């Protein structure tokens, strides 16, 4: 009975890693759809978000079942708490990738990305992929040192986010209000995607050490 219990705990890790792969694919394809005005690719990101939601529902059901029947304590309790929080953040990351794809769909056949900010969006997409790839590796390996390294990538994303606003607020911005709104929203989606990836990494630290990062409260208000 206890072997089955621990097998189910281990299965949570596998499901979370699978979620990281899905949301990585989603943000990669959403970025391409946005930059290339690829309607078919955008639609695929939007429709496949259901798979992320399905896996998260499985994680929730498994956790609630374990809590009700096994009453986990100590390290096992940290596993289920961290898994629920990580699943929540990964599900939100899938939603944010979907939001990017919806902007691409909304502006098709035109692009929502003016030339002045194209390179910045490319970089933001690359950092988002790097963050979620590292987060997946940290979940699988429970590597605390690697988890802490995600903070640096998040700092890079924040710098790019600020760069977008400098371009938007420059007196020579010539694209009007609607593109400015699109770029503002898109920048926010990438920035929040990165924040959620960092939260996942912080929960890996919590799972292993039992302590929260000192600045974890900074992200407590994320949706």
């Amino acid at each position: 009975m206890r072997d089955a219990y621990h097998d189910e705990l281990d299965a949570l890790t596998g499901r979370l890693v699978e979620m990281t792969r899905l949301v990585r694919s989603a943000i990669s394809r959403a970025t391409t759809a946005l930059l290339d005005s690829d309607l078919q690719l955008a639609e695929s990101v939007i429709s496949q978000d259901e798979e992320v939601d399905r896996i998260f529902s499985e994680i929730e059901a498994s956790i609630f079942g374990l809590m009700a029947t096994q009453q986990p304590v100590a390290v096992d309790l940290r596993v289920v708490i961290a898994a629920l929080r990580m699943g929540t953040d990964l599900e939100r990351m899938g939603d944010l990738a979907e939001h990017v794809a919806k902007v691409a769909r909304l502006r098709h056949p035109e692009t929502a990305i003016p030339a002045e900010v194209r390179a910045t969006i490319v970089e933001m997409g690359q950092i988002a992929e790097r963050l979620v790839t590292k987060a997946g590796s940290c979940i699988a390996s429970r590597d605390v040192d690697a988890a802490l390294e995600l903070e640096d990538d998040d700092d890079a994303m924040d710098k790019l986010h600020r760069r977008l606003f400098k371009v938007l607020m420059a007196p020579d911005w010539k694209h009007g209000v609607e593109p400015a709104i699109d770029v503002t929203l898109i920048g926010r989606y990438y920035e929040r995607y990165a924040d959620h990836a960092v939260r996942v990494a912080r929960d890996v630290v919590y799972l292993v050490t039992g302590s929260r990062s000192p600045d974890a409260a900074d992200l407590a208000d994320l949706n």
Side-chain angles (χ1 to χ4, degrees):
M1 184 72 173
R2 298 298 293 179
D3 287 343
Y5 164 55
H6 285 102
D7 285 346
E8 192 161 357
L9 286 176
D10 291 341
L12 289 174
T13 297
R15 291 193 185 102
L16 290 167
V17 171
E18 185 178 358
M19 284 185 77
T20 66
R21 292 173 182 149
L22 289 171
V23 300
R24 180 189 183 280
S25 174
I27 198 65
S28 175
R29 290 180 291 121
T31 302
T32 300
L34 186 68
L35 294 169
D36 295 349
S37 192
D38 188 325
L39 180 60
Q40 184 175 358
L41 196 58
E43 293 285 9
S44 76
V45 175
I46 295 164
S47 64
Q48 290 173 22
D49 186 56
E50 292 180 1
E51 180 67 7
V52 176
D53 295 341
R54 181 189 65 78
I55 296 173
F56 180 53
S57 294
E58 290 178 358
I59 290 172
E60 282 188 311
S62 179
I63 287 171
F64 295 150
L66 288 169
M67 294 290 286
T69 61
Q70 302 295 333
Q71 298 181 341
V73 296
V75 175
D76 290 348
L77 182 59
R78 290 210 303 268
V79 169
V80 296
I81 291 172
L84 184 58
R85 288 198 296 227
M86 287 188 278
T88 300
D89 282 308
L90 289 165
E91 189 273 336
R92 186 59 184 144
M93 290 164 73
D95 289 343
L96 290 164
E98 182 185 17
H99 293 341
V100 173
K102 285 182 175 179
V103 175
R105 182 177 67 179
L106 178 65
R107 299 305 173 204
H108 180 81
E110 304 300 325
T111 178
I113 305 301
E116 292 92 330
V117 296
R118 185 178 179 87
T120 302
I121 296 298
V122 169
E123 286 188 65
M124 294 180 91
Q126 291 170 344
I127 292 174
E129 288 185 56
R130 186 160 66 244
L131 277 162
V132 71
T133 299
K134 288 182 179 180
S137 178
C138 292
I139 292 170
S141 65
R142 298 190 181 181
D143 187 331
V144 170
D145 291 335
L148 294 172
E149 290 175 2
L150 268 73
E151 302 281 353
D152 292 335
D153 286 323
D154 185 48
D155 289 343
M157 181 71 86
D158 291 339
K159 288 178 182 177
L160 292 172
H161 192 217
R162 290 192 293 270
R163 184 195 298 175
L164 279 182
F165 278 102
K166 287 183 180 179
V167 176
L168 292 174
M169 299 301 293
D172 59 349
W173 177 260
K174 60 184 179 182
H175 302 284
V177 174
E178 190 173 83
I181 292 172
D182 286 343
V183 172
T184 299
L185 289 174
I186 290 163
R188 181 59 173 154
Y189 297 151
Y190 282 107
E191 189 263 341
R192 291 178 70 189
Y193 185 101
D195 285 345
H196 283 287
V198 171
R199 280 182 56 147
V200 170
R202 287 174 175 168
D203 278 319
V204 171
V205 175
Y206 165 75
L207 190 160
V208 175
T209 69
S211 63
R212 297 287 288 167
S213 174
D215 56 351
D218 292 346
L219 300 178
D221 62 344
L222 280 176
N223 293 321

